[in-house]
Amino acid sequence: MRVDVTEIEERSFAALTAHGAGKRQARSVAKAVARAEALGNVICGLYYLESYCVQLTSGRVKGTIDPVVSRPRPAAVLSDARFGFAQYAFEVALTTALKAARENGVATLAVAHAHTCTSLGYFTEQIAGEGLIGIGFTNASPVVAPPGGNKAVIGTNPIAMSVPGDGALAMHFDFSTSAVALGKITMAKAAGESIPLGWAVDAEGQPTTDPEAALKGALVSAGGYKGWGFGLMAELLAAGMTGSVNSLDVGGLKLPDGPPHGLGQFYILLDPGTYHADFADRFARVAEAVAAQEGTRIPGANRHVMQDVDVPDALWEQVIKLSA
């Protein structure tokens, strides 16, 4: 059925508060759910709502906790989520991080000990919306094996970057450093579909098209060892710099109970005018060269934001029940 994204936000807010989240925390997460749906990012939208609610009830995520924000150095901001929602920990710290970046030309924001942030680009686009370049990294439960291996060591470990433009984002990308997001494999299994070769290996380390075998094995990195390097970079920044857990020490993100996720996110905020005033001109030079070639585009340029979206009937029925 077709559902307005405003109703998606309100239903998500109602579901989260019904299962124990505080109003401020629930609103922050509900906005992220609605934004994901508006951009067609279904894996990070309503698809995650049931998990949030179940883990609020079990205590795996602390739904009423307030993060602690500090500024250990002039250009460094830390938001300790205290095992609460990543969305709220980022929201509370963003103003301080923007101030630090404008004062110093560059700043970092470390979100520590947080629940999964789902869509990493949701956060970097907020940074770009304030006129700064935003780059983000996070880790996740272990699902990716090293090249040639068969045992998962790191998560899908996404990287996102958003670049401000004239009234809209000039560039935006948000992708896993794995060949594919884990959700696409779980969705293929649920639909009884096969997966392409190059997404995953089975428990013996052999390439597979069977999603069930892939879930018993491991995902592979995008671009082989090159993507593996980016995944490790995200791991070291998200876990090492924030003092949060390694991917190896996180249980399945959607398991109903168990220890809190305790994940980290690491953001770099850059003022594009710090060194000279020609940033926009330099970007335009590249964008014009891309636009001159038919069928090409800058990532994230002219994104279509929907006001109402298709939601599967069964999923919307679940949302109604969760929010009742």
Side-chain angles (χ1 to χ4, degrees), residues 144-204:
V144 177
N150 67 328
K151 295 191 186 319
V153 175
I154 63 174
T156 54
N157 289 17
I159 298 173
M161 181 178 183
S162 301
V163 178
D166 186 12
L169 296 184
M171 184 176 80
H172 173 83
F173 65 79
D174 175 8
F175 53 75
S176 302
T177 54
S178 57
V180 68
L182 180 64
K184 288 195 174 180
I185 293 184
T186 58
M187 291 173 78
K189 179 185 175 183
E193 300 171 350
S194 62
I195 60 173
L197 280 174
W199 279 15
V201 294
D202 62 20
E204 282 71 50

Side-chain angles (χ1 to χ4, degrees), residues 233-255:
M233 177 177 69
E235 180 76 17
L236 293 175
L237 292 174
M241 290 297 290
T242 70
S244 303
V245 294
N246 284 110
S247 293
L248 282 166
D249 300 318
V250 183
L253 297 184
K254 298 186 79 173
L255 292 178

Side-chain angles (χ1 to χ4, degrees), residues 8-259:
I8 288 174
E9 180 179 334
E10 293 308 317
R11 286 286 183 180
S12 298
F13 173 79
L16 292 162
T17 53
H19 289 79
K23 289 184 178 180
R24 297 188 308 278
Q25 293 84 348
R27 181 60 66 189
S28 187
V29 177
K31 286 180 180 178
V33 170
R35 181 65 174 174
E37 290 289 343
L39 291 169
N41 184 4
V42 295
I43 291 175
C44 294
L46 290 171
Y47 178 71
Y48 241 98
L49 186 61
E50 182 189 25
S51 176
Y52 289 144
C53 292
V54 168
Q55 293 182 9
L56 279 165
T57 302
S58 71
R60 197 172 182 207
V61 57
K62 313 303 180 186
T64 59
I65 207 79
D66 285 319
V68 175
V69 179
S70 59
R71 198 166 166 180
R73 295 191 183 181
V77 178
L78 170 65
S79 183
D80 186 348
R82 301 167 68 205
F83 305 114
F85 285 113
Q87 293 89 342
Y88 188 55
F90 178 90
E91 178 185 316
V92 170
L94 180 57
T95 299
T96 303
L98 292 170
K99 183 174 185 289
R102 288 172 179 138
E103 289 174 354
N104 297 283
V106 61
T108 58
L109 169 57
V111 176
H113 313 125
H115 200 65
T116 178
C117 70
T118 54
S119 174
L120 185 63
Y122 173 70
F123 305 93
T124 59
E125 73 174 0
Q126 292 181 61
I127 296 169
E130 296 291 337
L132 303 178
I133 299 168
I135 306 173
F137 310 84
T138 190
N139 60 343
S141 54
V143 292
V144 177
N150 67 328
K151 295 191 186 319
V153 175
I154 63 174
T156 54
N157 289 17
I159 298 173
M161 181 178 183
S162 301
V163 178
D166 186 12
L169 296 184
M171 184 176 80
H172 173 83
F173 65 79
D174 175 8
F175 53 75
S176 302
T177 54
S178 57
V180 68
L182 180 64
K184 288 195 174 180
I185 293 184
T186 58
M187 291 173 78
K189 179 185 175 183
E193 300 171 350
S194 62
I195 60 173
L197 280 174
W199 279 15
V201 294
D202 62 20
E204 282 71 50
Q206 297 302 311
T208 182
T209 61
D210 181 357
E212 186 169 358
L215 293 172
K216 292 177 181 177
L219 302 184
V220 298
S221 297
Y225 70 89
K226 295 179 181 179
W228 172 246
F230 280 116
L232 290 175
M233 177 177 69
E235 180 76 17
L236 293 175
L237 292 174
M241 290 297 290
T242 70
S244 303
V245 294
N246 284 110
S247 293
L248 282 166
D249 300 318
V250 183
L253 297 184
K254 298 186 79 173
L255 292 178
D257 49 27

Side-chain angles (χ1 to χ4, degrees), residues 101-102 104-106 131-133 164 270-280:
R102 288 172 179 138
N104 297 283
V106 61
L132 303 178
I133 299 168
L270 298 151
D271 184 339
T274 297
Y275 304 103
H276 58 81
D278 298 333
F279 178 85

